[in-house]
C-alpha cells in the first residue's frame, strides 16, 4: 500500500492522539469517568498514533483521499 497521509496530517494526528490518550489518564473530567468514553478515547488515540507512524489511513484508501505528495 502506498502512503496517503501527508506531513501536516501526520503532525495533527500525532498531537490529537497524544491528547486523547493523556486526557482520560491524567484528568478528572466527568466525561471520562464513564468506561465507554475512557476506553474509547484511548483506543482512538492509539489508532491516531498508529496511522501517524505508518502513514496509511484505511479510510483515506476507501475514499481515494491523499494528503501527501507521493
Amino acid at each position: 500500500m502506498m502512503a496517503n497521509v501527508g506531513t501536516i496530517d501526520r503532525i495533527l494526528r500525532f498531537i490529537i492522539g497524544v491528547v486523547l490518550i493523556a486526557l482520560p489518564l491524567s484528568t478528572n473530567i466527568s466525561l471520562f469517568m464513564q468506561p465507554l468514553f475512557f476506553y474509547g478515547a484511548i483506543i482512538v488515540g492509539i489508532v491516531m498514533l498508529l496511522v501517524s507512524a505508518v502513514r496509511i489511513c484505511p479510510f483515506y484508501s476507501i475514499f481515494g483521499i491523499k494528503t501527501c505528495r507521493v
Side-chain angles (χ1 to χ4, degrees), residues 2-5 10 49-57:
M2 293 185 63
N4 59 6
V5 177
R10 285 179 74 191
L49 290 176
L50 182 65
V51 169
S52 173
V54 297
R55 298 184 64 187
I56 299 171
C57 179

Side-chain angles (χ1 to χ4, degrees), residues 35-56:
L36 177 67
F37 290 106
F38 181 83
Y39 293 113
I42 291 173
I43 290 170
V44 171
I46 290 171
V47 170
M48 297 287 263
L49 290 176
L50 182 65
V51 169
S52 173
V54 297
R55 298 184 64 187
I56 299 171

Side-chain angles (χ1 to χ4, degrees), residues 4 57-65:
N4 59 6
C57 179
F59 292 116
Y60 280 10
S61 297
I62 291 170
F63 296 112
I65 300 170

